[in-house]
Amino acid sequence: ISTFYRQLRGQRVSLPTFGVFTFDSQSELKQAEGAMEGAVFPTHHVEDSFRQEYLSRFGNDAQLTWAALAYEFTRALSAQADSLKESRDSESVMRILSRLTPGTDSAAGRSEYVKDERVGAYYRFPLVLKIIRNNQTEEVLTSDSLNTAP
């Protein structure tokens, strides 16, 4: 990503751009040398405490968003491991997982179990819209501030 943006700048191409969760990587921003300025992207919220722990363990943040969501999923499964052993179908698994509540050490913010007639049951995690300003990512809109379902 950073190489692409540096090449755009080298060709004197200036246009509004948007991306995905990988734009939240501080290492990509650093390597882009300011060329990603103004890019916007949607991503899942990641708590600062999880971000710092992940960076100290792995030395980069390229897969940070996926890691936070995988961490939450693993926590959910391990919290219900005994109950899930007895489950024989997807409905009983979802019934067990629907009882989960967010912990205080959440990696991806407050999640919730949603049962929607239109789309079925799912877990909702906070989404954010970010913009790159001054070589940093900044949240400009969160799903918590919206009154609509995703």
Side-chain angles (χ1 to χ4, degrees), residues 55 68 140:
L55 281 169
V140 292

Side-chain angles (χ1 to χ4, degrees), residues 5-94:
Y5 274 92
R6 285 194 319 271
Q7 289 174 347
L8 279 177
R9 184 178 56 201
Q11 297 297 316
R12 300 180 198 266
V13 175
S14 176
L15 52 109
T17 59
F18 62 93
V20 295
F21 67 93
T22 53
F23 280 38
D24 206 12
S25 169
Q26 288 299 311
S27 57
E28 282 295 324
L29 289 177
K30 184 178 179 181
Q31 292 172 20
E33 300 168 350
M36 294 174 71
E37 185 73 15
V40 296
F41 60 98
T43 189
H44 284 280
H45 174 78
V46 176
E47 293 290 336
D48 287 336
S49 57
F50 184 84
R51 180 182 302 272
Q52 294 307 317
E53 176 68 21
Y54 188 87
L55 281 169
S56 71
R57 277 192 187 190
F58 301 106
N60 70 67
D61 57 1
Q63 298 294 322
L64 180 68
T65 303
W66 292 113
L69 294 172
Y71 175 80
E72 292 299 328
F73 182 66
T74 302
R75 279 189 42 212
L77 291 179
S78 64
Q80 299 297 322
D82 292 337
S83 299
L84 290 169
K85 285 179 191 176
E86 307 302 322
S87 300
R88 301 289 180 235
D89 58 61
S90 61
E91 285 185 27
S92 62
V93 169
M94 285 306 291

